[in-house]
């Protein structure tokens, strides 16, 4: 396990968590593209019990997937930085921390990718990553 700290771009929200650096993933789905304004999203999971906000409160948007699953998207209401995602259900076991906000991001290399068929054509294949068709 690795102790991480992070914050949004403007510093209004900060957090701490314990994560497994071997669990970093990339998602190429079109929802992640739209929610980041980029080609993909990079996330590392943390047990809900191991994630703690240390300053601020994120704004919450609940996204409903085609499957009907509802996911909280937590972001800074001031600067817009995505902070984390989790289930909208009461049994939240995992927090998906957005790697771009982690201060130790240089130490977190993705090991797998999801929804590769939705990747933009100019994104390198990243063939050294485990590739899964759907989301986890």
């Amino acid at each position: 396990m690795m102790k991480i700290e992070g914050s949004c771009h403007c510093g209004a929200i900060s957090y701490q968590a314990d994560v497994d650096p071997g669990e970093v993933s990339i998602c190429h789905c079109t929802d992640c593209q739209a929610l980041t304004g980029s080609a993909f999203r990079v996330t590392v999971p943390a047990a809900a019990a191991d994630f703690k906000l240390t300053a601020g409160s994120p704004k919450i948007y609940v996204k409903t997937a085609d499957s009907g699953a509802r996911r909280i998207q937590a972001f800074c209401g001031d600067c817009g930085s995505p902070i984390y995602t989790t289930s909208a259900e009461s049994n939240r076991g995992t927090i998906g921390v957005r790697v771009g906000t982690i201060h130790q991001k240089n130490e977190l290399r993705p090991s797998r990718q999801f929804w590769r068929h939705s990747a933009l054509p100019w994104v390198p294949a990243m063939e050294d990553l485990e590739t899964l068709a759907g989301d986890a």
Side-chain angles (χ1 to χ4, degrees), residues 61-117:
Y61 167 69
V62 178
K63 178 186 90 64
T64 303
D66 291 340
S67 67
R70 296 180 40 202
R71 301 283 299 164
I72 288 173
Q73 308 294 316
F75 61 96
C76 177
D78 293 331
C79 69
S81 297
I83 306 295
Y84 68 85
T85 187
T86 190
S87 172
E89 308 310 318
S90 60
N91 59 346
R92 297 180 193 138
T94 304
I95 304 289
V97 184
R98 303 316 189 185
V99 170
T101 64
I102 297 172
H103 297 162
Q104 300 83 2
K105 63 181 143 273
N106 289 344
E107 300 172 46
L108 299 170
R109 180 177 169 79
S111 60
R112 65 179 157 248
Q113 59 185 332
F114 301 100
W115 296 101
R116 179 67 203 168
H117 67 273

Side-chain angles (χ1 to χ4, degrees), residues 12-68:
I13 297 173
S14 61
Y15 61 85
Q16 300 175 338
D18 291 317
V19 301
D20 179 347
E23 293 295 316
V24 180
S25 64
I26 292 173
C27 183
H28 298 278
C29 81
T30 55
D31 283 344
C32 283
Q33 291 171 8
L35 288 164
T36 62
S38 187
F40 51 81
R41 184 182 305 254
V42 184
T43 302
V44 64
D50 295 334
F51 178 88
K52 179 183 178 195
L53 287 169
T54 56
S57 293
K59 186 167 173 71
I60 301 297
Y61 167 69
V62 178
K63 178 186 90 64
T64 303
D66 291 340
S67 67

